């Protein structure tokens, strides 16, 4: 246990525990392993960023937590929220959690809104559904929330999604997600399709949620620098696995996994060095370490055996305490962890 | 607005931008995820395997009808034009009895499958060819070509086909080739619309852009890049056209407008209806041809259904 | 040009095309145009034939005939049936009400039940009850309406004696007409439900995969709520026009049902005129049916723009 912080307090502060979560999709060409053995904790009032390139399975992971995957998905593992495993709940029970306790911001706000329903009714919908409020009274609250996210004037709320810009639709979606003050908000690529200024705006709004609404945020993005600027902790995903997790500042400043390092190297300010090779197929992932075909420090061992998540050797103990404390048996699960033979 | 409406029977895809992204998202893309892999060879649509039970049933039914039509001379117990004793109930000599003229109904039934299948497939081939061509040109060139072609399609779409065929057939006293031709010329519209909206989506994909930047001619791109990628839409559409044409043929011959020189199911029912077979309760006269019509149409529709459903199976992954 | 205007223009063009087609057919088909225009029942002497020929303007140049034809159409003059000794327009007018009596309730029932049942079937694809529903309506979908009528007539009237065998009425009282109409309306409704069912099912199958449906689920909507709050309206949208276009097909189905049930409506009018080669009646009926279908399409378009805000704002 760490000095100064009692275990009970930690117990309270953890609100979501994902353990050994795997998702696969059977297809005619074989099984697509979209996520494999994902484990992480989400703490109260923190922003955890999940970073990875397109197709690494991060959106699938987000949908899997709320059980929003299509029916053919095969999911195993556990997602413990409060004292209940979300994966074991009935559809009816989880639908009560969706939107009220855990809400989600989709990556394509313009398409995620129903084109035939006025904006105010869509924002107010969670109120009608979860609280059984009338349309009229819920509209008033919807308006209040929408105004706090800058949606006001010009009868915007009486408009239809196609009449609004992408940024406005995004704000409407964020308003919808916070309207019932959920404990967790999962934001799936909230900046996708927005131009730079709007993306920044959206990020500012999302990070304000933490303070204003007291919710934790699981931010899914491919933008490493954005993630490091906003989030408290960061997990890097590659080919369906988390390869590195730790405090954002540490991961960003001093990435340990070769993939994290390569991702950082891709940033314009670091010389825009592309990662050699292409992302592997999720149907037949490479044997051993999944990154080995593209890794510059590959050894014979990397080819043969898959590395496990392990506490990073080089991470200093003092830094490990920071934001994330450890709860019980496995000290390793809270600090900096890397999935690499060399670290 | 023309783009928003679509005539499709089971699964109508629309041309709005929403649909376009969905198509891309709906494709299981195991590879790298770049646009080149969207090309035809990586679509797993027609691989063997996941053909559902109804689809299999349809295929079997259809094959038996096809066999019946191609080898009717060998399968039929007797010549359908030879006269025996009239109004015989089903029995050992004549499995399904005889009609008012003493023709063996089972033999008539077997010979009748020919007209149904020929008209169905002939009309569907013609209509699918026309529809695909018009849809491809309209979707690929957009602009004025699209406006004109889709205008024509809209107008054709609004004309009720069966009444028009009745009027034309009343004047023409047609052969069954003529019926197939008429149906084919009237039934291309729905195919054209679906093909157009698919073409509109495909033409925006990067591998088409790639072909264009390499200087390939428009025709080359349309037929060797766009066409193979919409083939999976054409086939179910074709099967539905076959089914529609078969029902239409049966309806026309029920009115006595069919080809009198050929046995056809619709005409058998017509005779049973007008010559007292129905009133006297000779069920073996009209029940078998009616069931044959329904089953043959069902077999074709089930196959089309199975193909489309399989397309729907590939659900959204990322 | 706005889409609504474009649509209207297309309707007008379709109307124009149909009238022209009606003008061209009897004049271009094999045989004497006079016979083609009068019907094969009209026996004429040499003298009266040439008299009629000039009376009907058949000796005039074609473009003048064409203008005259338009003039008569616009004054609702569709010709004269020598077979039935009556003007075609009054014949159609008197028969049409019976067809409408059959078609309007059945089409409404078909639209309502077809979309709801079809929507549910698409939403719960693969679940037991919906499978049975789909199989049932698929069978009906594949059966020509006249055979369906024959089956119903055989079973309910012939075998069970629940309904009269033919005709529209025997005493003319309301109950009597309703009793006669019950079975045809039932068959017609089944036929129309089956078509709308299949269309709606397909549309919902597409809509339920859309992002907004997934988002509705993420908001906490449960089961059928998503269908009825979100997908239903969206799925209905593209098929309003499809249903309207299908109207022509369903309407032709009504004609066949009438023939089997020996009802005195448009279907039998067309059938009788076919048997006696009464061409004026045939053509007049075709014209009227087409106009009705085109009008139904226009109505559907109006409805469409009422539901879809995107069209309204264009």
């Amino acid at each position: 246990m760490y000095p100064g912080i009692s275990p009970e307090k930690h117990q309270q502060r953890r609100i979501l525990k994902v353990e050994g979560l795997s998702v696969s999709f059977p297809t005619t060409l074989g099984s697509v392993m979209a996520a494999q053995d994902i484990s992480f904790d989400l703490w109260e009032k923190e922003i955890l960023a999940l970073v990875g390139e397109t197709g690494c399975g991060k959106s699938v992971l987000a949908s899997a937590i709320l059980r929003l995957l299509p029916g053919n998905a095969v999911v195993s593992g556990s997602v413990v929220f409060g004292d209940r495993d979300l994966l074991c709940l009935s559809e009816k029970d989880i639908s009560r959690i969706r939107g009220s306790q855990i809400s989600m911001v989709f990556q394509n706000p313009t398409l995620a809104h129903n084109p035939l329903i006025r904006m105010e009714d869509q924002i107010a919908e969670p109120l009608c559904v979860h609280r059984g409020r009338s349309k009229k009274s819920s509209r008033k609250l919807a308006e209040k929330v929408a105004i706090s996210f800058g949606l006001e004037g010009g009868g915007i709320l009486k408009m239809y999604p196609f009449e609004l810009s992408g940024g406005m639709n995004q704000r409407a979606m964020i308003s919808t997600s916070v309207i019932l003050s959920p404990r967790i908000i999962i934001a799936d690529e909230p900046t996708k399709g927005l131009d730079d200024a709007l993306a920044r705006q959206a990020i500012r709004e999302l990070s304000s949620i933490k303070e204003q609404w007291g919710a934790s945020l699981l931010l899914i993005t491919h933008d490493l620098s954005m993630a490091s600027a906003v989030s408290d902790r960061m997990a890097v995903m590659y080919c369906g696995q988390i390869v590195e997790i730790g405090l954002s500042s540490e991961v960003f400043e001093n990435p340990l996994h070769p993939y994290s390092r390569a991702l950082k190297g891709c940033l314009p300010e670091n010389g825009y060095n592309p990662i050699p090779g292409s992302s592997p197929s999720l149907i037949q992932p490479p044997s051993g370490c999944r990154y080995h075909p593209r890794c510059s420090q590959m050894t014979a061992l990397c080819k043969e055996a898959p590395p496990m998540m392990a506490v990073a050797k080089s991470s200093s103990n003092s830094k490990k305490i920071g934001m994330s404390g450890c709860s019980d048996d496995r000290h390793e699960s809270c600090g900096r962890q890397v999935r690499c033979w060399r670290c | 607005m023309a783009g928003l409406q679509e005539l499709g029977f089971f699964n109508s895809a629309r041309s709005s931008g929403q649909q376009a992204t969905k198509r891309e998202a709906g494709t299981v893309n195991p590879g790298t995820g770049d646009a080149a892999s969207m090309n035809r060879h990586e679509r797993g649509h027609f691989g063997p395997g996941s053909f559902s039970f109804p689809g299999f049933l349809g295929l079997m039914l259809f094959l038996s009808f096809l066999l019946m039509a191609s080898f009717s001379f060998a399968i039929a117990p007797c010549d359908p034009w030879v006269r025996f004793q009239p109004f015989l109930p089903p029995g050992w000599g004549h499995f399904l009895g005889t009609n008012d003229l003493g023709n063996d109904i089972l033999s008539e039934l077997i010979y009748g499958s020919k007209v149904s299948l020929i008209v169905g497939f002939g009309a569907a081939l013609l209509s699918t060819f026309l529809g695909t061509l018009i849809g491809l040109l309209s979707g690929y060139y957009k602009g004025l070509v699209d406006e004109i072609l889709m205008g024509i399609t809209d107008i054709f779409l609004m004309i009720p086909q069966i009444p028009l065929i009745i009027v034309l057939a009343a004047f023409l006293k047609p052969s069954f080739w003529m019926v197939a031709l008429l149906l084919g010329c009237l039934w291309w519209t729905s195919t054209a619309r679906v093909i157009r909206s698919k073409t509109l989506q495909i033409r925006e994909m990067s591998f088409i852009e790639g072909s264009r930047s390499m200087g390939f001619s428009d025709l080359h791109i349309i037929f060797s890049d766009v066409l193979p990628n919409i083939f999976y839409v054409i086939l179910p559409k074709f099967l539905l056209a076959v089914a529609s044409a078969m029902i239409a043929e049966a309806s026309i011959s029920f009115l006595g407008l069919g080809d009198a020189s050929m046995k056809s199911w619709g005409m058998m029912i017509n005779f049973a209806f007008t010559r007292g077979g129905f009133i006297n309760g000779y069920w073996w006269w009209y029940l078998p041809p009616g069931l044959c019509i329904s089953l043959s149409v069902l077999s074709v529709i089930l196959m089309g259904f199975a193909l489309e459903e399989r397309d729907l199976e590939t659900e959204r992954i990322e | 040009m706005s889409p609504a205007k474009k649509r209207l223009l297309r309707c007008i063009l379709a109307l124009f095309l149909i009238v022209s087609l009606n003008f061209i057919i009897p004049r271009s088909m094999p045989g004497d145009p006079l016979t083609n225009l009068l019907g094969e029942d009209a026996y004429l002497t040499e003298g009266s034939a040439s008299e009629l020929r000039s009376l009907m303007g058949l000796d005039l140049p074609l473009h003048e005939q064409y203008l005259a034809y338009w003039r008569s159409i616009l004054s609702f003059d569709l010709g004269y049936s020598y077979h039935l000794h009556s003007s075609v327009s009054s014949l159609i007018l008197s028969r049409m009400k019976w067809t409408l009596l059959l078609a309007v309730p059945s089409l409404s029932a078909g639209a309502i039940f077809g979309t709801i049942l079809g929507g549910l079937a698409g939403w719960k694809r693969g679940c037991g009850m919906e499978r049975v529903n789909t199989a049932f309506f698929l069978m009906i979908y594949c059966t020509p309406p006249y055979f369906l009528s024959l089956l119903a007539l055989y079973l309910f009237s012939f075998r069970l004696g629940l309904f009269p065998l033919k005709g529209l009425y025997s005493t003319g009282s309301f109950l009597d007409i309703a009793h006669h109409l019950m079975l045809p309306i039932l068959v017609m409704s089944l036929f129309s439900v089956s078509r709308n069912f299949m269309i709606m099912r397909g549309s919902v199958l597409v809509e339920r995969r859309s992002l907004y449906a997934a988002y509705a689920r993420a908001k906490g909507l449960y089961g059928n709520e998503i269908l009825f709050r979100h997908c239903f309206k969206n799925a209905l949208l593209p098929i309003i026009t499809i249903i309207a276009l299908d109207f022509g097909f369903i309407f032709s189905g009504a004609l066949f049902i009438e023939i089997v049930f020996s009802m005195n409506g448009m279907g039998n009018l067309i059938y009788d005129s076919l048997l006696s080669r009464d061409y004026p009646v045939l053509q007049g009926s075709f014209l009227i049916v087409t106009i009705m279908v085109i009008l139904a399409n226009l109505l559907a378009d109006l409805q469409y723009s009422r539901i879809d805000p995107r069209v309204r704002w264009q």
Side-chain angles (χ1 to χ4, degrees), chain B residues 72-123:
Chain B
S72 42
F73 55 90
I75 301 169
C78 26
D79 185 333
W81 277 277
V82 172
R83 293 180 168 199
F84 302 93
Q85 195 187 339
F87 301 124
L88 275 180
W92 279 116
H94 301 280
F95 257 128
L96 290 172
T98 54
N99 65 8
D100 59 328
L101 296 174
N103 298 334
D104 181 61
I105 288 178
L106 181 62
S107 312
E108 274 193 303
L109 207 61
I110 290 170
Y111 273 83
S113 58
K114 252 185 197 165
V115 175
S116 193
L117 288 185
I118 291 178
V119 171
F121 275 82

Side-chain angles (χ1 to χ4, degrees), chain C residues 123-145:
Chain C
W123 187 250
K124 296 188 167 176
R125 188 169 70 106
C127 126
M129 193 55 214
E130 304 310 328
R131 261 189 203 182
V132 174
N133 264 351
T134 307
F136 176 71
F137 286 116
L138 192 64
M139 289 298 286
I140 292 182
Y141 183 92
C142 294
T143 310

Side-chain angles (χ1 to χ4, degrees), chain A residues 163-181:
Chain A
E163 296 170 277
L164 304 181
S165 67
M168 284 164 151
N169 271 315
Q170 182 64 269
R171 275 181 241 170
M173 191 169 237
I174 295 174
S175 314
T176 317
S177 68
V178 301
I179 198 162
L180 290 176
S181 337

Side-chain angles (χ1 to χ4, degrees), chain B residues 73-233:
Chain B
F73 55 90
I75 301 169
C78 26
D79 185 333
W81 277 277
V82 172
R83 293 180 168 199
F84 302 93
Q85 195 187 339
F87 301 124
L88 275 180
W92 279 116
H94 301 280
F95 257 128
L96 290 172
T98 54
N99 65 8
D100 59 328
L101 296 174
N103 298 334
D104 181 61
I105 288 178
L106 181 62
S107 312
E108 274 193 303
L109 207 61
I110 290 170
Y111 273 83
S113 58
K114 252 185 197 165
V115 175
S116 193
L117 288 185
I118 291 178
V119 171
F121 275 82
L125 271 177
L126 183 62
S127 73
T128 306
F129 173 75
L130 284 175
T132 306
L133 194 68
I134 289 173
L136 276 174
L137 293 178
S138 175
Y140 186 80
Y141 286 107
K142 300 208 281 192
L144 190 66
V145 180
D146 186 33
E147 285 286 320
I148 292 173
L149 287 178
M150 279 302 115
I152 295 172
T153 311
D154 254 11
I155 290 169
F156 260 83
L157 212 49
M158 272 188 280
I159 300 172
Q161 287 126 349
I162 291 192
L164 178 59
I165 291 170
I166 291 175
V167 170
L168 287 173
F171 282 104
L172 288 171
K173 302 171 188 72
S175 65
F176 66 97
W177 288 113
M178 183 80 89
V179 173
L181 192 74
L182 281 177
L183 287 172
C185 289
L186 290 173
W187 239 297
W188 52 269
T189 46
S190 75
T191 314
R193 279 174 162 278
V194 174
I195 300 296
R196 168 185 173 269
S197 66
K198 283 287 163 197
T199 309
L200 277 175
Q201 290 166 22
I202 304 257
R203 82 185 293 282
E204 302 304 330
M205 290 183 181
S206 0
F207 73 94
I208 298 289
E209 228 164 85
S211 299
R212 223 174 290 151
S213 65
M214 279 161 61
F216 291 144
S217 73
D218 285 345
L219 279 184
H220 177 87
I221 296 173
I222 289 177
F223 289 108
S224 51
D225 289 332
V226 182
L227 189 61
N229 276 300
I230 51 174
F231 190 71
Y232 75 101
V233 196

Side-chain angles (χ1 to χ4, degrees), chain A residues 66-70 91-92 95-96 98-100 102-106 108 111-118 121-123 125-126 128-130 160 162-163 172-173 176-177, chain C residues 207-223 225-238 304 306-314:
Chain A
L66 272 181
R67 298 238 314 262
L68 292 171
L69 292 169
E91 176 67 21
K92 177 124 201 156
S95 74
R96 295 210 181 102
R98 290 182 194 139
S100 67
I102 304 177
S103 65
M104 201 158 164
V105 176
F106 275 38
N108 202 331
L111 291 187
H113 283 123
N114 190 326
L116 304 184
I117 299 179
R118 288 179 200 280
D121 289 338
Q122 302 205 37
I123 297 176
E125 196 168 20
C128 306
V129 173
H130 290 284
Y160 292 93
F162 75 99
E163 296 170 277
M173 191 169 237
T176 317
S177 68
Chain C
E207 288 301 326
R208 73 171 194 169
R209 284 155 40 88
S210 65
L211 201 59
Y212 72 81
Y215 186 52
R217 212 145 81 92
K219 278 187 198 173
L221 275 77
Y222 173 67
E225 258 180 349
I226 308 174
L227 171 67
F228 289 114
R229 267 173 182 260
H230 284 273
C231 298
F232 199 79
K233 210 174 171 190
N234 294 265
L236 207 55
L237 202 56
Y304 191 103
R306 257 189 43 186
I307 296 186
D308 193 345
R310 287 166 295 193
V311 176
R312 227 181 299 156
W313 285 81
Q314 261 168 3

Side-chain angles (χ1 to χ4, degrees), chain B residues 6 9-10 154 170 279 309, chain C residues 7 10 125 141 158 202 242:
Chain B
E6 204 56 74
F9 283 97
F10 300 117
D154 254 11
I279 294 297
E309 297 269 295
Chain C
R7 193 82 189 133
R10 282 174 188 180
R125 188 169 70 106
Y141 183 92
F158 214 75
I242 297 176

